[in-house]
């Protein structure tokens, strides 16, 4: 059977050894004659799973003790609301940086809760770069500053994390958490939907500095209060048990591989392979400014939708699948998250090279 390489932006590829372990343990977890899906979230078996998942996050990301790790449902999209609901308390005002469609959605929700100032935006450049932040212009009369560390649709990433001084930095890290080394102490709060670099859809991870908790409005729903999760070790109600179990296995896999630092080196190698080819190519282009290029999501296109379509067909016949660009951008996008092996990217580049040879006479320069 031909190997399939799944370049989906999310839900996305999971490490094969993890899926094999899930399959092996599916019918009887630790000899219990039942799957983790069927177990009580109060059982000692599940308690061990959730505790280990948290411990592995702490180890892999070097999360200090004064940060809580919370397991929540509702996706990163619910965090667009929970962040302002919990953190907009003193000034009821936040800074947001607009780097693409996920930032815009976060801004849209925050405006319903408090005042939002767009500190910087790359909208006029069609989000092909990360705008520069003038740290010295920041005023301290905001509750936080929100960024999106990796822009999944636009293919951009912050190559340096802005220094926000006293202002808590909040980051949507949905599409690049665990893909490169981050100093957690630079952030007040980090959130990420699991389905890109962590595990299956249904789980959202929130890492929050303790002193940012406790400002919650009493009449807000219990389930939208971070403290509900931090006081109960994310077991106030039934958590997404199976996604948490698979997440624990993914984190074990990452640890065995050597951790985030080793993962980052592999990710840089994978991304360079693709970018280097695209930059030399006369057919394929990536429009993102070099300094702002994502290591995880690489959009590219040929000079015509017709050629794009032909390329996608050729790639598909090689088992290189879900390479269609986002519906808002067209073209192609290769999402090369942690679980995408180097081999998958090599196969993709090979296929692009061949396609270029076959179609070089049709190339129209844009
Ligand atoms: C996918 C994604 C989201 C949305 O995640 P959901 O879990 O589907 O709500 C938000 N932000 C970024 C950066 C993403 O990549």
């Amino acid at each position: 059977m031909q190997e399939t390489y799944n370049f989906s932006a999310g839900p996305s590829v999971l490490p094969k050894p993890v899926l094999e372990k899930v399959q092996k343990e599916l019918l009887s977890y630790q000899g219990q004659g039942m799957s983790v899906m069927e177990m009580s979230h109060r059982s000692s078996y599940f308690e061990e799973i959730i505790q280990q998942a948290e411990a592995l996050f702490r180890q892999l990301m070097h999360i200090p003790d004064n940060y809580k790790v919370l397991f929540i449902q509702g996706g990163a999209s619910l965090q667009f609301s929970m962040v302002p609901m919990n953190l907009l308390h003193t000034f009821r005002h936040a800074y947001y940086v607009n780097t693409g469609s996920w930032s815009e959605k976060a801004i849209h929700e925050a405006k319903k809760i408090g005042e939002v100032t767009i500190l910087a935006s790359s909208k006029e450049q069609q989000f092909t770069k990360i705008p520069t932040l003038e740290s010295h212009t920041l005023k301290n009369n905001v509750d936080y500053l929100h960024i999106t560390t990796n822009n999944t649709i636009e293919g951009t990433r912050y190559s340096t994390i802005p220094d926000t001084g006293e202002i808590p930095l909040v980051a949507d890290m949905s599409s690049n958490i665990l893909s490169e080394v981050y100093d957690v102490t630079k952030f007040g709060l980090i959130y990420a939907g699991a389905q890109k670099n962590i595990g299956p859809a249904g789980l959202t991870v929130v890492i929050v500095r303790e002193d940012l908790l406790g400002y919650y409005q009493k009449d807000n729903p219990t389930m939208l209060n971070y403290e509900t999760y931090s006081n109960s070790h994310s077991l106030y109600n039934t958590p997404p048990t199976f996604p948490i179990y698979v997440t624990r296995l993914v984190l074990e896999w990452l640890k065995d591989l050597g951790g985030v630092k080793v993962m980052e080196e592999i990710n840089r190698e994978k991304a360079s392979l693709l970018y280097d080819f695209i930059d030399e190519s006369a057919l394929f282009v990536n429009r993102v400014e070099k300094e702002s290029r994502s290591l995880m999501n690489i959009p590219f296109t040929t000079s015509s939708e017709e050629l794009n379509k032909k390329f996608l067909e050729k790639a598909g016949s090689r088992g290189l699948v879900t390479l269609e660009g986002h519906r808002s951008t067209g073209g192609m996008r290769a999402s090369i998250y942690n679980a995408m092996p180097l081999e998958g990217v090599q196969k993709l580049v090979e296929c692009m090279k061949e396609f270029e040879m076959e179609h070089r006479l049709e190339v129209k320069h844009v």
Side-chain angles (χ1 to χ4, degrees):
M1 202 177 79
Q2 178 177 263
E3 193 79 40
T4 298
Y5 294 97
N6 174 15
F7 292 89
S8 170
S12 49
V13 58
L14 285 164
K16 207 172 204 178
V18 167
L19 293 176
E20 282 163 355
K21 183 113 198 249
V22 170
Q23 185 180 46
K24 205 162 141 248
E25 293 182 335
L26 190 65
L27 293 184
S28 182
Y29 181 73
Q30 294 199 357
Q32 292 307 295
M34 64 178 87
S35 153
V36 174
M37 273 184 274
E38 304 164 287
M39 278 181 183
S40 166
H41 59 295
R42 309 275 175 213
S43 65
S44 58
Y45 292 97
F46 185 73
E47 270 185 15
E48 190 195 2
I49 289 171
I50 195 168
Q51 280 163 14
Q52 281 183 2
E54 178 178 339
L56 283 160
F57 263 112
R58 289 188 177 278
Q59 259 182 338
L60 286 164
M61 292 182 71
H62 304 287
I63 302 172
D65 288 343
N66 65 324
Y67 283 75
K68 299 283 186 187
V69 179
L70 313 177
F71 298 130
I72 301 180
Q73 301 193 46
S77 300
L78 184 61
Q79 294 313 306
F80 297 164
S81 306
M82 274 181 85
V83 164
M85 284 176 100
N86 284 268
L87 302 193
L88 280 180
H89 48 78
T90 304
F91 305 103
R92 305 207 56 80
H93 182 190
Y95 284 138
Y96 276 71
V97 181
N98 185 8
T99 49
S101 31
W102 291 120
S103 304
E104 285 184 332
K105 289 196 165 125
I107 290 164
H108 180 76
E109 295 306 316
K111 280 183 172 167
K112 296 178 185 173
I113 318 282
E115 195 187 335
V116 169
T117 297
I118 313 284
L119 194 63
S121 167
S122 51
K123 198 178 176 110
E124 278 180 21
Q125 291 84 37
Q126 284 82 47
F127 299 123
T128 51
K129 59 178 278 197
I130 298 292
T132 35
L133 292 190
E134 309 292 344
S135 294
H136 62 274
T137 63
L138 297 179
K139 299 206 175 65
N140 279 342
N141 59 348
V142 293
D143 290 308
Y144 63 87
L145 187 159
H146 181 283
I147 62 170
T148 311
T149 49
N150 184 77
N151 296 276
T152 325
I153 296 170
E154 296 77 10
T156 61
R157 140 189 182 272
Y158 283 78
S159 50
T160 48
I161 294 300
D163 176 9
T164 56
E166 294 292 298
I167 304 170
L169 179 61
V170 173
D172 177 358
M173 244 184 228
S174 293
S175 52
N176 77 334
I177 192 167
L178 298 168
S179 72
E180 61 179 289
V181 176
Y182 278 117
D183 177 357
V184 173
T185 63
K186 286 190 174 165
F187 299 88
L189 188 149
I190 293 168
Y191 64 90
Q195 68 275 19
K196 280 125 189 185
N197 242 348
I198 300 175
L203 171 67
T204 310
V205 177
V206 174
I207 300 163
V208 56
R209 216 174 59 210
E210 267 167 3
D211 61 281
L212 297 175
L213 302 176
Y215 292 100
Y216 186 71
Q217 313 289 318
K218 266 209 315 289
D219 49 354
N220 282 344
T222 306
M223 291 301 287
L224 300 181
N225 179 0
Y226 288 134
E227 281 190 301
T228 301
Y229 299 84
S230 75
N231 291 339
S232 65
H233 297 282
S234 305
L235 286 166
Y236 172 77
N237 75 328
T238 317
T241 51
F242 201 71
I244 291 171
Y245 155 70
V246 180
T247 293
R248 188 202 69 186
L249 297 179
V250 172
L251 298 179
E252 273 170 359
W253 166 83
L254 183 53
K255 188 182 161 192
D256 291 346
L257 201 97
V260 178
K261 198 153 177 263
V262 172
M263 191 75 251
E264 176 174 344
E265 283 161 24
I266 299 171
N267 286 332
R268 285 185 185 278
E269 190 185 348
K270 288 188 295 187
S272 313
L273 197 65
L274 194 47
Y275 284 125
D276 288 350
F277 170 71
I278 292 173
D279 287 344
E280 279 172 25
S281 163
L283 178 62
F284 296 100
V285 287
N286 164 281
R287 298 182 205 284
V288 176
E289 183 196 83
K290 283 196 178 154
E291 183 64 16
S292 302
R293 282 174 165 180
S294 168
L295 300 177
M296 296 283 100
N297 311 96
I298 306 185
F300 58 95
T301 183
T302 68
S303 54
S304 79
E305 272 310 311
E306 194 193 324
L307 278 178
N308 289 344
K309 199 165 157 255
K310 280 191 193 160
F311 173 72
L312 287 166
E313 274 165 26
K314 181 183 174 78
S317 73
R318 298 279 178 89
L320 308 168
V321 302
T322 357
L323 278 162
E324 294 78 11
H326 188 264
R327 57 187 187 276
S328 65
T329 57
M332 280 75 73
R333 171 175 50 170
S335 294
I336 52 174
Y337 296 118
N338 286 356
M340 170 59 66
L342 177 64
E343 205 196 1
V345 182
Q346 287 166 336
K347 291 242 157 79
L348 174 60
V349 170
E350 250 168 59
C351 179
M352 289 166 79
K353 263 184 199 158
E354 271 186 40
F355 187 82
E356 183 161 347
M357 290 299 283
E358 291 157 12
H359 294 275
R360 68 195 152 179
L361 298 177
E362 297 164 50
V363 175
K364 287 186 274 307
H365 284 278
V366 276

